Amino acid sequence: MADKQLACAVCQPKGICGGKGLLTLKEGAWGKNPLAIQVLGICSALAVTNRLENSLVMGAALIFVCVGSNLIVSLLRKHTPHRIRMVAEVAIIATFVILFDQFLKAFYWDMSKQLGPYVGLIITNCIVMGRAEAFALQNPPVLSMVDGLANGIGYAVVLAIIGFFRELLGTGEILGHKLPVFSEWYTPNQLMILAPGAFFALGIVIAIFNVIKGPAPEENK
Amino acid sequence: MSETSAWVILIAAIFTNNILLTNFLGMCSFIACSSQIKTSLGLGTAVVFVMIMTTIINYIIYHFILVPFHLGHLQFIVFIAVIAGFVQFVEMFVERFSPKLYFALGIFLPLITVNCAILGASLFMIIRNYSFMQSIGFGMGAGIGWALAIVLLAGLRQKMRYSHVPKCFEGVAIAMIVTGVLAMTFMGFAGMVSIQ
């Protein structure tokens, strides 16, 4: 919620977004949520959600990469020849991923070890590539940044929800801390931290989104 | 760990450490292209081939170029460039010499560039410190494992077209649940061999 107000305070008076800032934010974070509605970038969503902490870091990584790459792709959109745009996009995205990876390695070594190859795999995350290709190539820099932020948040929130329930049901703890009443009577179900739990959790989240959104995804388009 | 034979790694990468069902790599194309057995078989074959070749090329580049020059941090950008370049090359090669194969595999090749299982296999190879032979075994096993999983899911989804799925679970949601069950059956192999 705070993010929405922030984006408007920045955009509205100056009008850099052309009044489309709020709409873009809403579309990306909720209406066309990349994970639950469009089902993009699920590899990392499944792999890192065994603990809430990992999910939060991964969400932050995606927001950073998405905003950064959208900004640069958008700035260069008039100078990039159409035929090599894919290569240019991948190179830009990879640069931001390397930045984040080096940052993690320097300051949070344990986290970097835990996430393993999945930070590097943000390069092939369809969300980042998809936003660069579908949005940043046609829109001005600031609006593209808002779009990157919106999609990043949409991804991070769903990731946090899945991470929360998987850690809660799988270990009976949250962020490694025991809960006062819950942890005592609840018997942890190991299945939820293991691979099948990830598939079940995401399947159920998508189904819940389908219920909330009403009609099937095809009719939404 | 480093003395594990390449054959053990091959078997382990197919069954106990299936790259899709335990490491969740390559999910995007796994969900998108698994509605028919024929399509998924074509994609699976292409993935096996590209994965073996790119792990070999990336192994050579990493250990003989990046490490001696202390450029380890550039591995992401180099690996993805190698994969994209290799896929492009294979596409041109196949188109020139075997048009028939091109029509069978052609449409899947560009998809493979963004398949994270390919990049993931290269990254796992570096993280787990495999030797050259082990890398080949791992690349082949991971590719075959991925192909096996997608063909299995395609078969299940073909059957599922005639069953009554709750409305909100239709489409991707039920595919995820079925994949979960598939992952559970593969957990039955756990303990047979193990690699880290």
Side-chain angles (χ1 to χ4, degrees), chain B residues 140-161:
Chain B
M140 193 185 285
I144 295 173
W146 194 90
L148 179 66
I150 193 172
V151 172
L152 284 176
L153 183 72
L156 288 170
R157 282 183 87 168
Q158 269 188 347
K159 285 270 178 214
M160 231 157 49
R161 233 172 273 159

Side-chain angles (χ1 to χ4, degrees), chain B:
Chain B
M1 177 193 89
S2 50
E3 282 123 40
T4 326
S5 111
W7 290 107
V8 174
I9 291 182
L10 173 83
I11 300 294
I14 298 177
F15 294 110
T16 59
N17 290 54
N18 189 299
I19 198 159
L20 201 143
L21 297 171
T22 60
N23 293 320
F24 315 107
L25 296 179
M27 283 301 297
C28 297
S29 25
F30 177 72
I31 294 292
C33 301
S34 62
S35 44
Q36 292 206 326
I37 293 188
K38 215 177 152 199
T39 330
S40 58
L41 210 55
L43 185 62
T45 321
V47 165
V48 174
F49 177 64
V50 174
M51 200 179 271
I52 298 171
M53 295 311 289
T54 51
T55 39
I56 293 175
I57 300 172
N58 281 338
Y59 181 89
I60 294 170
I61 289 185
Y62 185 77
H63 286 278
F64 294 101
I65 297 177
L66 291 185
V67 171
F69 292 102
H70 302 289
L71 291 172
H73 57 277
L74 287 182
Q75 52 170 299
F76 296 157
I77 211 163
V78 171
F79 286 177
I80 196 77
V82 165
I83 293 169
F86 181 75
V87 169
Q88 191 85 59
F89 176 75
V90 170
E91 202 181 346
M92 290 189 315
F93 188 82
V94 172
E95 191 181 11
R96 172 73 182 79
F97 291 103
S98 168
K100 215 173 170 187
L101 189 66
Y102 179 75
F103 280 110
L105 284 186
I107 40 168
F108 301 117
L109 285 171
L111 268 179
I112 288 177
T113 316
V114 289
N115 189 328
C116 44
I118 309 279
L119 181 62
S122 292
L123 293 177
F124 270 124
M125 169 187 85
I126 302 299
I127 288 175
R128 292 174 180 169
N129 225 342
Y130 285 148
S131 71
F132 186 63
M133 284 315 284
Q134 286 171 327
S135 300
I136 298 178
F138 180 70
M140 193 185 285
I144 295 173
W146 194 90
L148 179 66
I150 193 172
V151 172
L152 284 176
L153 183 72
L156 288 170
R157 282 183 87 168
Q158 269 188 347
K159 285 270 178 214
M160 231 157 49
R161 233 172 273 159
Y162 305 105
S163 47
H164 297 284
V165 178
K167 188 115 184 68
C168 60
F169 273 99
E170 270 174 13
V172 181
I174 194 71
M176 297 302 294
I177 305 283
V178 170
T179 315
V181 177
L182 210 57
M184 265 166 89
T185 54
F186 268 69
M187 275 175 69
F189 292 116
M192 190 171 74
V193 279
S194 74
I195 50 167
Q196 172 38 56

Side-chain angles (χ1 to χ4, degrees), chain A:
Chain A
M1 272 307 172
D3 287 304
K4 279 185 184 171
Q5 280 157 8
L6 184 83
C8 290
V10 175
C11 297
Q12 230 86 23
K14 296 178 192 163
I16 347 177
C17 299
K20 280 194 281 183
L22 187 66
L23 186 73
T24 313
L25 196 65
K26 224 171 155 181
E27 277 275 280
W30 174 248
K32 288 190 179 156
N33 187 300
L35 207 57
I37 309 290
Q38 304 190 68
V39 203
L40 293 175
I42 32 184
C43 319
S44 51
L46 293 165
V48 299
T49 49
N50 53 353
R51 287 176 57 215
L52 181 57
E53 204 184 355
N54 296 356
S55 325
L56 293 176
V57 173
M58 197 64 186
L62 199 102
I63 293 177
F64 170 74
V65 174
C66 219
V67 170
S69 63
N70 261 11
L71 172 68
I72 304 290
V73 168
S74 175
L75 282 175
L76 295 176
R77 71 184 190 282
K78 287 182 184 137
H79 308 286
T80 322
H82 191 70
R83 291 192 62 180
I84 62 151
R85 66 183 197 290
M86 295 285 231
V87 186
E89 281 160 17
V90 170
I92 292 167
I93 294 168
T95 314
F96 279 97
V97 172
I98 292 175
L99 277 179
F100 194 87
D101 184 58
Q102 294 294 315
F103 169 78
L104 270 190
K105 275 190 180 138
F107 297 102
Y108 300 98
W109 174 245
D110 292 339
M111 184 49 74
S112 165
K113 270 272 161 231
Q114 276 201 19
L115 290 178
Y118 294 106
V119 176
L121 287 169
I122 296 178
I123 298 175
T124 50
N125 192 316
C126 329
I127 300 176
V128 189
M129 192 76 183
R131 290 333 286 176
E133 178 80 17
F135 199 91
L137 274 181
Q138 280 104 33
N139 288 286
V142 178
L143 193 59
S144 302
M145 272 174 78
V146 173
D147 182 71
L149 183 71
N151 279 280
I153 291 173
Y155 173 85
V157 168
V158 177
L159 215 61
I161 296 174
I162 302 177
F164 176 81
F165 282 107
R166 278 185 72 194
E167 188 176 355
L168 185 71
L169 299 177
T171 62
E173 296 171 349
I174 286 299
L175 288 170
H177 299 294
K178 285 206 184 310
L179 299 174
V181 186
F182 186 77
S183 301
E184 276 160 32
W185 63 263
Y186 181 74
T187 315
N189 182 358
Q190 282 283 323
L191 184 73
M192 287 308 286
I193 347 181
L194 293 171
F199 291 112
F200 292 141
L202 187 61
I204 291 168
V205 166
I206 293 173
I208 292 172
F209 263 76
N210 281 349
V211 172
I212 299 173
K213 297 289 288 187
E218 293 88 40
E219 292 163 34
N220 269 343
K221 274 175 195 168

